[in-house]
Amino acid sequence: MKTKPIFIALLLAVGGMTALAKSHQVKSSDGQLIVTITDDGGKPAYEVSFQRSSCIMSSPLGLKTHFSDLTTGLEMGECEDRLVNEPYELRNIKQREVHYMAQESVCHFLKNGKPALDIIFRVTSRDVAFRYQVYPQGDRKSAVITAEESGFVLPDGTTTFLCPQSKPMGGFARTSPSYETNYSLDEPVGKNGWGEGYTFPCLFKVPWYRPQGRCDLWVLISETGVDGSYCASRLVNDKDGAYRIAFPQQGECNGIGSVTPAIALPGFTPWRTITIGGSLAPIVETTVPFDLVQPKYKASQEYIYGKGSWSWIIGMDPSCNFDEQKRYIDFSAAMGYQSVLIDAFWDKQIGYDRIEELARYGKTKGVGLFLWYNSNGSWNDAPQTPIGKMNNHLVRRQEMAWMQRAGIRGIKVDFFGGDKQNMMQLYEDILVDANDFGLLVIFHGCTLPRGWERMYPNYAASEAVLASENLHFGQGSCDAEARNACIHPFIRNTVGAMDFGGSTLNKYYGADNKHGTVRRTSDVFALAAAVLFQSPVQHFALAPNNLDDAPSWAIDFMKDVPTTWDEVKFIDGYPGKYVVLARRCGDKWYVVGANAEEKPYTATLTLPMFNKGTSLKMYSDDAQLKGSVKELKQNKKQQVKVVIPKNGGLVIIDQ
């Protein structure tokens, strides 16, 4: 009995501490998404609910710097709210005209009564984003961010769709990590990949309990706005079962550079983004990576996007010779394509003078050239040439001046070293210099783009995925091609342009189309992939022999398919199983699908994007993956019945 008053006093004390905690809510304009920010116990935290159902549980916020711990001992001051209303246009990613509207709240946090940290949230009907602004303290005008506390606590029962981060300095010529690992699908939360967490973006399926029963919420976590002033991050799950932001691994870039970013004060961190929906539509259709950033410079010219051909994926290094590249220029011209990508060793096997000759020849055919470069440097052992050009500011600009004189269209730069701040600065330096000389830029063996389509006007695309080269190198990748194609539209390609280099019509990945790894997917699948995988510059894995050995309807489609789009709509799908989506270019819609499951995908699709009574053209496969084209019309409900066999595809367009 004597302990009872003490127990009550402790309860009152704890209650008093909780009562002193401050909180602030930010709601989307439709009230569906609500973010609650608190400072309970001096520790900033947040939680997110969707239609009153928690999808991000109470999760930590804050940073640690080399001179101050900004994760604890903080008090929330005033929060300033405003409406962000910003229309903008993008030529090079999935939605051309965007009208971005978000509720913004800037919450000022004090430490020892002085401004220390702002936590800035923006909320739309499908997206939550936050970042930090760090203030000077005393004479401190710069900061090393030693850690970021930002976490994402998912409810019990959540399953994951994640791409494990590889350890540094492994793989081919010690070039990892380069965002090229297989996804793990439908696994429970709590794992940590191969011990190093996961690459962005990260997809989660959260149980959603509603009056009519359980269904699922989809949550995509990523980041945007990373440039040369910060490092890129990953998601790790190494304590308390919560996923949190982690900086690069020490071994990246051959150990060169710091894993912790340094910023001038006051300074901002990149945005952390969370896209949420009761279906996969918000995930597929989100524009949040681009909404939150601004162009960093003006385009030096009107850049030409479009389609191109690429000999290396079929013919490998030996194909990089003058005669073969001239043949591919003729092939691109016959297809009405805008470019040819000349891959590694061109400097040794063709030479600068004959590249100029090819560029002049291509100009007569309306075909521009992209040239491959090694990014190195000293961060891995990749031997492919040209090497030692893109990592040196003076040499790089001299090389780009030559390319400008020769009329080169763009560059593909490969084999980067990781996600440290020094490497992010190299990406930005290459882009800025290339714009000065009117060059488009594609990155390979690289990090994920983080809002770069809007930030850098001459940025075209990044690989950052297990791309088409693996189809040439291993039969296992061919066997899994449909599965992977049903993953990327929901994860990797949702946040940025993906340079995959696929859509082959060869049966074999070999120059004679008789030897090599065997393609398991259909010709219609190849057409669908040209739309499923989005990049404003597409170098397809087609070959000149396809003019004679591929179906004429497939060649005709590949001649006409766009690479830039005005709109995207999710129709149906599940990561790794099947996908159906639609993209619009001008007033023409392309509805495409693919299936990776043993059982054929059978559905009645409602397609309101086509006018009632419109005559449609459907490319489809039979059970033996033999493709055909037929005309059809929707019924009065604007519906069409479709069947997609395993490894097959679907394309529906209006006439």
Side-chain angles (χ1 to χ4, degrees):
M1 294 294 292
K2 290 182 180 180
T3 59
K4 188 173 181 181
I6 298 174
F7 179 68
I8 292 173
L10 286 171
L11 284 177
L12 289 172
V14 173
M17 288 174 59
T18 304
L20 292 174
K22 297 179 181 178
S23 68
H24 183 75
Q25 284 194 338
V26 193
K27 298 181 180 181
S28 61
S29 57
D30 61 5
Q32 285 203 119
L33 269 177
I34 300 175
V35 177
T36 304
I37 310 143
T38 66
D39 66 352
D40 198 0
K43 296 183 177 182
Y46 77 106
E47 58 183 283
V48 182
S49 65
F50 178 81
Q51 294 185 8
R52 298 188 180 90
S53 180
S54 181
C55 48
I56 302 290
M57 314 291 282
S58 182
S59 301
L61 294 167
L63 303 167
K64 293 180 180 179
T65 74
H66 73 289
F67 60 82
S68 184
D69 184 348
L70 302 179
T71 67
T72 188
L74 298 179
E75 178 186 357
M76 186 190 298
E78 292 186 358
C79 292
E80 302 174 35
D81 298 324
R82 73 179 183 105
L83 175 66
V84 178
N85 187 346
E86 182 185 354
Y88 67 92
E89 184 174 309
L90 283 173
R91 293 178 57 229
N92 57 350
I93 197 60
K94 56 189 175 182
Q95 185 168 329
R96 187 181 183 98
E97 295 182 358
V98 181
H99 192 165
Y100 175 54
M101 295 185 69
Q103 302 294 325
E104 181 183 87
S105 187
V106 181
C107 291
H108 304 290
F109 282 80
L110 310 176
K111 185 155 188 169
N112 300 322
K114 297 179 180 180
L117 186 72
D118 287 348
I119 305 180
I120 305 161
F121 273 88
R122 288 190 183 180
V123 181
T124 73
S125 60
R126 64 187 178 195
D127 302 303
V128 172
F130 64 90
R131 68 172 174 174
Y132 303 97
Q133 182 175 21
V134 185
Y135 287 101
Q137 292 189 22
D139 294 332
R140 305 284 189 173
K141 305 300 182 185
S142 65
V144 175
I145 310 300
T146 58
E148 181 171 334
E149 192 71 9
S150 304
F152 308 86
V153 180
L154 285 304
D156 291 342
T158 296
T159 55
T160 68
F161 302 75
L162 302 174
C163 184
Q165 176 90 355
S166 57
K167 293 183 182 296
M169 309 311 295
F172 170 75
R174 300 197 309 144
T175 55
S176 67
S178 51
Y179 290 55
E180 297 180 32
T181 59
N182 281 306
Y183 282 82
S184 58
L185 304 180
D186 258 327
E187 291 195 349
V189 294
K191 298 182 179 181
N192 196 37
W194 301 340
E196 305 298 340
Y198 302 96
T199 61
F200 285 126
C202 299
L203 182 64
F204 301 87
K205 186 176 69 173
V206 176
W208 188 19
Y209 298 98
R210 309 183 73 191
Q212 59 268 42
R214 175 181 164 164
C215 47
D216 296 307
L217 283 174
W218 293 93
V219 177
L220 185 77
I221 298 173
S222 194
E223 66 177 355
T224 192
V226 180
D227 59 17
S229 66
Y230 214 81
C231 65
S233 301
R234 57 199 159 105
L235 210 58
V236 299
N237 189 350
D238 60 0
K239 64 177 183 180
D240 304 329
Y243 295 88
R244 63 176 181 86
I245 295 292
F247 293 151
Q249 303 164 77
Q250 181 60 54
E252 293 179 24
C253 303
N254 223 358
I256 305 163
S258 174
V259 300
T260 53
I263 61 174
L265 299 180
F268 292 96
T269 67
W271 291 94
R272 313 307 178 197
T273 65
I274 309 167
T275 301
I276 300 164
S279 75
L280 283 160
I283 308 299
V284 172
E285 298 168 15
T286 184
T287 56
V288 71
F290 325 110
D291 297 338
L292 297 162
V293 300
Q294 295 291 330
K296 295 177 73 69
Y297 51 79
K298 291 184 179 180
S300 63
Q301 63 181 49
E302 186 82 359
Y303 287 104
I304 299 172
Y305 302 121
K307 301 181 286 290
S309 63
W310 176 38
S311 70
W312 184 88
I313 184 60
I314 299 297
M316 296 278 107
D317 293 341
S319 73
C320 192
N321 63 73
F322 181 89
D323 291 340
E324 187 70 349
Q325 296 312 305
K326 189 174 181 180
R327 189 167 77 104
Y328 266 79
I329 290 172
D330 291 337
F331 174 53
S332 278
M335 294 293 291
Y337 287 2
Q338 290 74 37
S339 65
V340 166
L341 168 63
I342 303 181
D343 221 282
F345 298 117
W346 60 263
D347 59 327
K348 304 293 186 183
Q349 297 173 190
I350 299 174
Y352 281 75
D353 290 344
R354 301 215 79 187
I355 284 290
E356 291 180 13
E357 186 178 342
L358 285 171
R360 290 192 296 271
Y361 180 73
K363 187 176 181 179
T364 68
K365 299 278 188 173
V367 177
L369 302 184
F370 280 73
L371 299 181
W372 185 97
Y373 281 85
N374 196 325
S375 76
N376 265 329
S378 53
W379 33 87
N380 54 50
D381 302 323
Q384 285 84 349
T385 62
I387 196 168
K389 306 282 190 180
M390 289 296 121
N391 59 297
N392 181 290
H393 174 70
L394 179 61
V395 175
R396 179 172 62 240
R397 290 186 65 85
Q398 291 172 342
E399 192 81 358
M400 289 177 174
W402 166 76
M403 284 188 270
Q404 186 180 50
R405 292 192 300 271
I408 303 302
R409 176 79 45 86
I411 55 176
K412 171 183 170 181
V413 189
D414 208 338
F415 299 131
F416 286 85
D419 284 341
K420 293 177 179 178
Q421 187 172 355
N422 60 324
M423 195 56 53
M424 295 300 108
Q425 187 65 59
L426 178 63
Y427 285 111
E428 182 167 274
D429 290 346
I430 291 171
L431 285 161
V432 172
D433 286 347
N435 184 63
D436 287 346
F437 295 99
L439 298 168
L440 282 166
V441 180
I442 299 168
F443 293 123
H444 266 235
C446 60
T447 193
L448 182 78
R450 291 161 164 89
W452 294 356
E453 289 81 356
R454 191 178 181 198
M455 294 163 66
Y456 306 106
N458 59 320
Y459 169 78
S462 295
E463 185 184 27
V465 71
L466 273 173
S468 60
E469 63 198 53
N470 296 282
L471 300 171
H472 189 118
F473 292 144
Q475 187 59 46
S477 292
C478 288
D479 297 343
E481 184 181 9
R483 174 187 181 270
N484 290 325
C486 294
I487 295 172
H488 304 320
F490 301 116
I491 309 178
R492 164 63 182 89
N493 213 181
T494 63
V495 299
M498 183 178 75
D499 191 62
F500 190 86
S503 293
T504 186
L505 292 172
N506 266 23
K507 183 64 177 175
Y508 296 88
Y509 281 89
D512 61 1
N513 201 14
K514 295 179 181 179
H515 302 87
T517 54
V518 182
R519 178 166 61 98
R520 301 299 191 194
T521 55
S522 71
D523 290 340
V524 179
F525 175 96
L527 310 191
V531 180
L532 286 172
F533 297 165
Q534 199 276 318
S535 173
V537 176
Q538 291 259 35
H539 288 111
F540 294 120
L542 302 177
N545 54 273
N546 297 147
L547 292 172
D548 300 317
D549 59 19
S552 59
W553 50 262
I555 290 294
D556 290 343
F557 179 90
M558 293 302 295
K559 287 180 177 179
D560 294 336
V561 64
T563 65
T564 56
W565 303 95
D566 299 314
E567 191 176 358
V568 59
K569 291 291 183 185
F570 168 75
I571 296 175
D572 195 12
Y574 192 93
K577 295 182 179 181
Y578 59 94
V579 59
V580 183
L581 59 78
R583 296 192 194 273
R584 176 177 64 85
C585 179
D587 59 1
K588 185 167 185 175
W589 282 94
Y590 289 70
V591 174
V592 296
N595 180 37
E597 297 216 280
E598 293 293 337
K599 181 180 179 181
Y601 171 80
T602 303
T604 299
L605 303 178
T606 301
L607 305 176
M609 63 282 298
F610 297 118
N611 293 327
K612 290 183 178 180
T614 299
S615 180
L616 304 177
K617 182 185 291 186
M618 182 167 74
Y619 302 74
S620 59
D621 291 307
D622 63 16
Q624 287 72 45
L625 298 184
K626 182 178 180 180
S628 63
V629 187
K630 65 180 180 181
E631 293 186 10
L632 74 158
K633 287 188 177 181
Q634 300 165 301
N635 62 23
K636 293 181 180 179
K637 295 181 180 179
Q638 294 182 279
Q639 295 174 326
V640 173
K641 292 183 178 180
V642 300
V643 178
I644 310 176
K646 181 182 180 180
N647 292 328
L650 171 75
V651 177
I652 302 174
I653 58 175
D654 52 13
Q655 296 279 28

